[in-house]
Amino acid sequence: MKLKFIVLLIGFSLTGFSQTESLDNVLRFDEYLGFVKKFHPIVRQAELVIDESQAKLMKSRGAFDPKLEVDYDRKKFKGTEYFDRLNGTFKIPTWFGVELKAQFDENTGDFLNPEAFVPEDGLYSAGVMVPLGQGLLINNRMAALKQARLFREQAKADRDIYVNNILFEASLVYFKWLKAYNELKLFENFLVNAQLRFEGIQRGVDVGENAEIDATEARIAFNNRRLGLEQSKVKLLKAALELSSFLWLDNNVPVELQPDVIPDVNTEPIVDDTFNINQLRSDETIIEEHPKILSLGYKLEGLEVDTRLKANRLLPRIDVEYNFLTQTPEVARSLNTAQYKGGFNVSFPLFLRKERGDLKLAQLKMQDTEFEIGATRVTLQNKIDALKQELESYVAQNEITNQMIADYQRMLQSEERKFELGESSLFLVNSRESKLIDGQLKAIEIQNKFFNTKAKLFNSLAVNPDL
């Protein structure tokens, strides 16, 4: 499957020479990242984290679902009905561990346990079970639901980090592709100059105006430019193949980048707009809003819930139950304290070694996460500050490099005029040209590092842009 991109017209300009592309199939940086964010499998995989958190939240809410239970048991042997027991129960769990319960019992038979005797039409009951110690303020159901909600929010922060990481990696590959393309165009341009110079000197040799050694030197320079061009073609091909691994279609089909698709050589303003670099460099960074800190914060809150649950288990378990009994549930006055079924259950481990051990482990996990948050906060702040300073340095380096290239260009032009007047040699012309090429390659390298640093700042802040 091949992807055909929109035809745009963009001028290509590099200090020292100017070249205009006819420009079929230019792949802009923001368009490229838009494809990655929308269709890349890892980005889609990150969205599954949100779906997983929603499923876990639904599962935890299920602990509060009302429950209907029916027990039916009957025994009949040799014409004797030993027992026929029916018990139906409807339970409603509530937030604070209190459980509401309604029950119906209908029991008959010749060998019933006396306590199981009920009126002929059955016996109705309605009551409540309340934990007065362990499980009142927090219990497994409450803790599971709170942790599921926190996990959902943590998953959103983690999703932003995952998406940002894949966009960061894709950006580095695009900049590598752009660097290889700029080097290719540079060598193409200077190859034309070297070829024209070689052909002109060879004609001079043929008519006796130039020495053979001049043609040899011109041919060396020409072949050197050809070698550089071939090497840059290989680098461009490898970069294009690496770029293709980030391009996918809607139905999980990988895209093969066509050979005629080229990067946008005037991409710096697009990079700045896509990464929102100006705002990232000028605004004070609020570390507390960083997705990594938010994720760790939600993790810590989840551990706090678990710690409270473990601490609650140090309390004795005291469950009190009270049920009103009636034969006529349709009559409200029939529910009174004179007819009831109640009781309580108390249990308490004497040494609490298991409970105290669980609580200590939960507290240690909290401390570990607090240390991680502190270390992450400092690391992020230092990394962001360093990247901002690095960007400032690259601005200065670009200015210096551009000035050097302009000077190299003037030196080459001056040497070419001297050569035309017979006051210089081909060796000096080639030397000046080599210096100019080295300067422009250095400028391309610095531009690549500049873009990479912007991408690193974008990545360190874990921004998830709208593309």
Side-chain angles (χ1 to χ4, degrees), residues 49-61 148 151:
V49 176
I50 305 297
D51 296 338
E52 179 186 0
S53 67
Q54 293 286 9
K56 288 185 176 181
L57 180 59
M58 180 185 297
K59 178 182 177 180
S60 64
R61 284 173 175 165
F151 179 74

Side-chain angles (χ1 to χ4, degrees), residues 282-298:
S282 60
D283 289 358
E284 288 296 325
T285 305
I286 304 177
I287 295 297
E288 299 305 320
E289 296 180 0
H290 192 283
K292 182 62 176 179
I293 298 297
L294 293 177
S295 177
L296 290 173
Y298 291 127

Side-chain angles (χ1 to χ4, degrees), residues 392-407:
E392 295 298 328
S393 174
Y394 277 122
V395 171
Q397 290 182 47
N398 278 329
E399 293 177 357
I400 295 171
T401 305
N402 289 337
Q403 183 62 53
M404 290 174 57
I405 291 174
D407 291 340

Side-chain angles (χ1 to χ4, degrees), residues 21 25 55 63 100 107 119 155 160 186 200 204 215 248 250 286 289 304 319 324 362 379 435 438 454 466:
E21 299 282 353
N25 305 328
L100 305 177
N107 304 321
D160 289 342
L186 174 67
W248 296 73
D250 189 25
I286 304 177
E289 296 180 0
E304 288 174 350
D319 295 335
F324 295 101
T379 301
K435 291 290 186 180
D438 291 341
K454 291 180 179 182
D466 295 327

